Coordinates of all heavy atoms in Angstrom, one line a residue:
M279 N -4.6 -12.8 3.6 CA -4.7 -11.6 2.7 C -6.1 -11.5 2.2 O -6.6 -10.3 2.2 CB -3.8 -11.8 1.5 CG -2.4 -11.8 1.8 SD -2.0 -10.2 2.4 CE -0.4 -10.5 3.1
T280 N -6.9 -12.5 1.9 CA -8.2 -12.4 1.5 C -9.1 -11.8 2.5 O -9.9 -10.9 2.1 CB -8.7 -13.8 1.1 OG1 -7.9 -14.3 0.1 CG2 -10.1 -13.7 0.5
V281 N -8.8 -12.1 3.8 CA -9.7 -11.5 4.8 C -9.5 -10.0 4.9 O -10.5 -9.2 5.0 CB -9.3 -12.1 6.2 CG1 -10.1 -11.4 7.3 CG2 -9.7 -13.6 6.2
L282 N -8.3 -9.5 4.7 CA -8.1 -8.0 4.8 C -8.7 -7.4 3.6 O -9.3 -6.3 3.7 CB -6.6 -7.7 4.8 CG -5.8 -8.1 6.0 CD1 -4.3 -7.8 5.8 CD2 -6.3 -7.1 7.1
W283 N -8.6 -8.0 2.4 CA -9.2 -7.4 1.2 C -10.7 -7.4 1.3 O -11.3 -6.4 1.0 CB -8.8 -8.3 0.0 CG -9.3 -7.7 -1.3 CD1 -8.8 -6.6 -2.0 CD2 -10.4 -8.1 -2.1 NE1 -9.5 -6.4 -3.1 CE2 -10.5 -7.3 -3.2 CE3 -11.3 -9.1 -1.9 CZ2 -11.5 -7.5 -4.2 CZ3 -12.3 -9.4 -2.8 CH2 -12.4 -8.5 -4.0
R284 N -11.3 -8.5 1.8 CA -12.8 -8.5 1.9 C -13.2 -7.5 3.0 O -14.3 -6.8 2.8 CB -13.3 -9.9 2.3 CG -13.2 -10.9 1.2 CD -13.7 -12.2 1.6 NE -13.6 -13.2 0.5 CZ -13.8 -14.4 0.6 NH1 -14.3 -14.9 1.8 NH2 -13.7 -15.2 -0.5
T285 N -12.5 -7.4 4.1 CA -12.8 -6.4 5.1 C -12.8 -5.0 4.6 O -13.6 -4.2 4.9 CB -11.9 -6.6 6.4 OG1 -12.0 -8.0 6.8 CG2 -12.3 -5.7 7.5
Q286 N -11.8 -4.7 3.8 CA -11.6 -3.4 3.2 C -12.8 -3.1 2.3 O -13.4 -2.0 2.2 CB -10.3 -3.3 2.4 CG -10.2 -2.0 1.5 CD -10.4 -0.7 2.2 OE1 -10.1 -0.6 3.4 NE2 -10.9 0.2 1.6
K287 N -13.2 -4.1 1.5 CA -14.4 -3.9 0.6 C -15.7 -3.6 1.4 O -16.4 -2.7 1.0 CB -14.6 -5.2 -0.3 CG -13.5 -5.5 -1.2 CD -13.5 -4.6 -2.4 CE -14.4 -5.1 -3.4 NZ -14.5 -4.4 -4.7
I288 N -15.9 -4.3 2.5 CA -17.0 -4.1 3.4 C -17.0 -2.7 3.9 O -18.0 -1.9 3.9 CB -17.1 -5.1 4.4 CG1 -17.4 -6.5 3.8 CG2 -18.1 -4.8 5.5 CD1 -17.3 -7.7 4.7
A289 N -15.8 -2.3 4.4 CA -15.6 -1.0 5.0 C -15.9 0.1 4.0 O -16.5 1.1 4.3 CB -14.2 -0.9 5.6
S290 N -15.4 -0.1 2.8 CA -15.5 0.9 1.8 C -17.0 1.1 1.4 O -17.5 2.2 1.2 CB -14.7 0.5 0.5 OG -14.9 1.5 -0.5
A291 N -17.7 0.0 1.3 CA -19.1 0.0 1.0 C -20.0 0.8 2.1 O -21.0 1.3 1.8 CB -19.7 -1.4 0.9
Q292 N -19.4 0.8 3.4 CA -20.0 1.5 4.4 C -19.4 2.8 4.7 O -19.6 3.5 5.7 CB -19.9 0.7 5.7 CG -20.6 -0.7 5.6 CD -20.5 -1.5 6.9 OE1 -19.7 -1.2 7.8 NE2 -21.1 -2.7 6.9
H293 N -18.7 3.3 3.7 CA -18.0 4.6 3.8 C -17.1 4.8 5.0 O -17.1 5.8 5.6 CB -19.0 5.7 3.7 CG -19.9 5.6 2.5 ND1 -19.5 5.9 1.2 CD2 -21.2 5.2 2.4 CE1 -20.5 5.7 0.3 NE2 -21.5 5.3 1.0
T294 N -16.4 3.7 5.3 CA -15.5 3.6 6.4 C -14.1 3.2 5.9 O -14.0 2.6 4.9 CB -16.0 2.5 7.4 OG1 -17.3 2.9 7.8 CG2 -15.0 2.4 8.6
T295 N -13.1 3.6 6.6 CA -11.7 3.4 6.2 C -11.1 2.3 7.1 O -11.1 2.4 8.4 CB -10.8 4.6 6.2 OG1 -11.4 5.6 5.3 CG2 -9.4 4.3 5.7
L296 N -10.6 1.3 6.5 CA -9.8 0.3 7.3 C -8.4 0.7 7.4 O -7.8 1.0 6.4 CB -9.9 -1.1 6.6 CG -9.1 -2.2 7.2 CD1 -9.7 -2.6 8.6 CD2 -9.1 -3.5 6.3
V297 N -7.9 0.8 8.6 CA -6.5 1.3 8.8 C -5.8 0.2 9.6 O -6.2 -0.2 10.6 CB -6.5 2.7 9.6 CG1 -5.1 3.0 9.9 CG2 -7.3 3.7 8.9
L298 N -4.6 -0.1 9.1 CA -3.7 -1.1 9.8 C -2.8 -0.3 10.7 O -2.0 0.6 10.2 CB -2.9 -1.9 8.8 CG -3.7 -2.7 7.8 CD1 -2.8 -3.4 6.8 CD2 -4.6 -3.7 8.5
R299 N -2.8 -0.5 12.0 CA -2.0 0.3 12.9 C -0.7 -0.5 13.1 O -0.6 -1.6 13.5 CB -2.7 0.5 14.2 CG -3.9 1.3 14.2 CD -3.7 2.7 14.3 NE -4.9 3.5 14.2 CZ -5.0 4.7 13.8 NH1 -4.0 5.3 13.3 NH2 -6.1 5.2 13.8
N300 N 0.4 0.3 13.0 CA 1.8 -0.2 13.2 C 2.1 -1.6 12.5 O 2.6 -2.5 13.2 CB 2.0 -0.4 14.8 CG 2.0 0.9 15.4 OD1 2.6 1.8 14.9 ND2 1.5 1.0 16.6
P301 N 1.8 -1.7 11.2 CA 2.3 -2.9 10.5 C 3.8 -2.9 10.5 O 4.5 -1.9 10.2 CB 1.7 -2.8 9.1 CG 1.6 -1.3 8.9 CD 1.2 -0.7 10.3
N302 N 4.4 -4.1 10.9 CA 5.9 -4.1 10.8 C 6.3 -4.2 9.4 O 5.6 -4.3 8.4 CB 6.4 -5.3 11.7 CG 5.9 -6.7 11.1 OD1 5.8 -6.8 10.0 ND2 5.8 -7.6 12.0
E303 N 7.7 -4.1 9.3 CA 8.3 -4.1 7.9 C 7.9 -5.3 7.1 O 7.7 -5.2 5.9 CB 9.8 -3.9 8.0 CG 10.2 -2.6 8.5 CD 11.7 -2.4 8.6 OE1 12.4 -3.0 7.7 OE2 12.2 -1.6 9.4
F304 N 7.9 -6.5 7.7 CA 7.6 -7.7 6.9 C 6.1 -7.6 6.4 O 5.9 -7.9 5.2 CB 7.8 -8.9 7.8 CG 7.4 -10.2 7.2 CD1 8.2 -10.8 6.2 CD2 6.2 -10.8 7.5 CE1 7.9 -12.0 5.5 CE2 5.8 -12.0 6.8 CZ 6.7 -12.6 5.9
V305 N 5.2 -7.3 7.3 CA 3.8 -7.2 6.9 C 3.7 -6.2 5.8 O 2.9 -6.4 4.8 CB 2.8 -6.9 8.1 CG1 1.4 -6.6 7.6 CG2 2.9 -8.0 9.1
T306 N 4.3 -5.0 6.0 CA 4.2 -4.0 4.9 C 4.7 -4.5 3.6 O 4.1 -4.2 2.5 CB 5.0 -2.7 5.4 OG1 4.5 -2.3 6.6 CG2 4.9 -1.6 4.3
H307 N 5.8 -5.2 3.7 CA 6.4 -5.8 2.4 C 5.5 -6.8 1.8 O 5.3 -6.7 0.5 CB 7.8 -6.5 2.7 CG 8.4 -7.1 1.6 ND1 9.0 -6.4 0.5 CD2 8.5 -8.4 1.2 CE1 9.4 -7.3 -0.4 NE2 9.1 -8.5 0.0
V308 N 4.9 -7.7 2.6 CA 4.0 -8.7 2.0 C 2.8 -8.0 1.4 O 2.3 -8.4 0.3 CB 3.5 -9.7 3.1 CG1 2.4 -10.6 2.7 CG2 4.7 -10.5 3.6
L309 N 2.2 -7.0 2.0 CA 1.1 -6.3 1.4 C 1.5 -5.6 0.2 O 0.7 -5.5 -0.8 CB 0.5 -5.3 2.5 CG -0.1 -5.8 3.7 CD1 -0.4 -4.7 4.7 CD2 -1.4 -6.6 3.4
E310 N 2.7 -5.0 0.1 CA 3.2 -4.3 -1.1 C 3.3 -5.4 -2.3 O 2.8 -5.1 -3.4 CB 4.5 -3.7 -0.8 CG 5.0 -2.9 -2.0 CD 6.3 -2.2 -1.7 OE1 7.0 -2.6 -0.8 OE2 6.6 -1.2 -2.4
V311 N 3.9 -6.5 -2.0 CA 4.1 -7.5 -3.0 C 2.7 -8.1 -3.5 O 2.5 -8.3 -4.7 CB 5.0 -8.7 -2.5 CG1 4.9 -9.9 -3.4 CG2 6.4 -8.2 -2.2
A312 N 1.8 -8.2 -2.6 CA 0.5 -8.7 -2.9 C -0.4 -7.6 -3.6 O -1.5 -7.9 -4.1 CB -0.3 -9.2 -1.7
G313 N 0.1 -6.4 -3.7 CA -0.6 -5.3 -4.3 C -1.7 -4.7 -3.4 O -2.6 -4.0 -3.9
L314 N -1.7 -5.0 -2.2 CA -2.8 -4.6 -1.3 C -2.5 -3.2 -0.7 O -3.4 -2.5 -0.1 CB -3.0 -5.6 -0.2 CG -3.6 -6.9 -0.6 CD1 -3.8 -7.9 0.5 CD2 -5.0 -6.7 -1.2
L315 N -1.3 -2.7 -0.8 CA -1.0 -1.3 -0.2 C -1.8 -0.3 -1.0 O -1.9 0.8 -0.5 CB 0.5 -1.0 -0.2 CG 1.3 -1.6 1.0 CD1 2.7 -1.2 0.9 CD2 0.7 -1.2 2.3
T316 N -2.2 -0.6 -2.2 CA -3.0 0.4 -3.0 C -4.4 0.5 -2.5 O -5.1 1.6 -2.7 CB -3.0 0.0 -4.4 OG1 -3.6 -1.3 -4.6 CG2 -1.6 0.0 -5.0
V317 N -4.9 -0.5 -1.7 CA -6.2 -0.5 -1.2 C -6.4 -0.4 0.3 O -7.4 0.0 0.8 CB -7.1 -1.6 -1.7 CG1 -7.3 -1.5 -3.3 CG2 -6.5 -2.9 -1.3
L318 N -5.3 -0.8 1.0 CA -5.3 -0.7 2.4 C -4.4 0.4 2.9 O -3.4 0.8 2.3 CB -4.7 -2.0 3.0 CG -5.5 -3.3 2.7 CD1 -4.8 -4.5 3.3 CD2 -6.9 -3.2 3.4
R319 N -4.7 1.0 4.0 CA -4.0 2.1 4.6 C -3.3 1.6 5.9 O -4.0 1.0 6.7 CB -5.0 3.2 4.9 CG -4.3 4.5 5.2 CD -5.3 5.6 5.3 NE -5.1 6.3 6.5 CZ -6.0 7.0 7.2 NH1 -7.2 7.0 6.8 NH2 -5.7 7.7 8.3
G320 N -2.0 1.9 6.0 CA -1.3 1.6 7.2 C -0.8 2.8 7.8 O -0.3 3.7 7.2
E321 N -0.8 2.9 9.2 CA -0.3 4.0 9.9 C 0.6 3.5 11.0 O 0.4 2.6 11.7 CB -1.4 4.9 10.4 CG -2.2 5.6 9.4 CD -3.2 6.5 10.0 OE1 -3.5 6.4 11.2 OE2 -3.8 7.2 9.3
R322 N 1.7 4.4 11.3 CA 2.5 4.1 12.4 C 2.2 5.0 13.6 O 2.0 6.2 13.3 CB 4.0 4.2 12.0 CG 4.4 3.2 11.0 CD 5.9 3.3 10.8 NE 6.3 2.4 9.8 CZ 7.4 2.5 9.0 NH1 8.2 3.5 9.1 NH2 7.7 1.6 8.2
E323 N 2.1 4.6 14.8 CA 1.8 5.4 15.9 C 3.1 6.1 16.5 O 3.0 7.0 17.2 CB 1.2 4.5 17.0 CG -0.2 4.0 16.7 CD -0.8 3.3 17.8 OE1 -0.2 3.1 18.8 OE2 -2.0 2.8 17.6
D324 N 4.3 5.7 15.9 CA 5.5 6.3 16.4 C 5.7 7.7 15.7 O 6.8 8.3 15.9 CB 6.6 5.4 16.1 CG 6.9 5.1 14.6 OD1 6.2 5.7 13.8 OD2 7.8 4.3 14.3
G325 N 4.8 8.2 15.0 CA 4.9 9.5 14.3 C 5.6 9.4 13.0 O 5.9 10.4 12.3
G326 N 5.8 8.2 12.5 CA 6.5 8.0 11.3 C 5.7 8.1 10.1 O 6.2 8.0 9.0
G327 N 4.4 8.5 10.3 CA 3.6 8.8 9.1 C 3.0 7.4 8.5 O 3.0 6.4 9.2
P328 N 2.7 7.5 7.2 CA 2.1 6.3 6.6 C 3.2 5.2 6.5 O 4.3 5.4 6.4 CB 1.8 6.7 5.2 CG 1.8 8.2 5.2 CD 2.6 8.6 6.4
A329 N 2.7 4.0 6.7 CA 3.6 2.8 6.6 C 3.7 2.5 5.0 O 2.8 2.2 4.4 CB 3.0 1.6 7.3
T330 N 5.0 2.6 4.6 CA 5.2 2.3 3.2 C 6.4 1.3 3.1 O 7.1 1.2 4.1 CB 5.5 3.5 2.4 OG1 6.7 4.1 2.9 CG2 4.4 4.5 2.4
G331 N 6.5 0.6 2.0 CA 7.5 -0.4 1.8 C 8.8 0.3 1.7 O 9.9 0.2 1.9

């Protein structure tokens, strides 16, 4: 989790967006519990839109 958070901070400092592609339900849940869905963006390639818990 720390690696994702740090990578997001670096990306943000460079005016870039870190996007998680196709996070499965478990990963999405873990990110939500950890409070990281507020700073990380996840997208599904299946046309399902944003990945949310």
Side-chain angles (χ1 to χ4, degrees):
M279 291 298 164
T280 302
V281 172
L282 289 174
W283 183 78
R284 286 182 183 174
T285 303
Q286 169 57 27
K287 296 283 278 183
I288 292 169
S290 181
Q292 297 176 356
H293 305 287
T294 303
T295 302
L296 176 66
V297 178
L298 303 177
R299 298 272 183 210
N300 292 320
N302 64 33
E303 290 181 30
F304 177 76
V305 170
T306 301
H307 177 73
V308 170
L309 293 173
E310 182 177 25
V311 169
L314 291 175
L315 279 183
T316 59
V317 294
L318 295 175
R319 190 171 133 207
E321 292 182 351
R322 293 185 181 156
E323 291 182 359
D324 61 6
T330 59

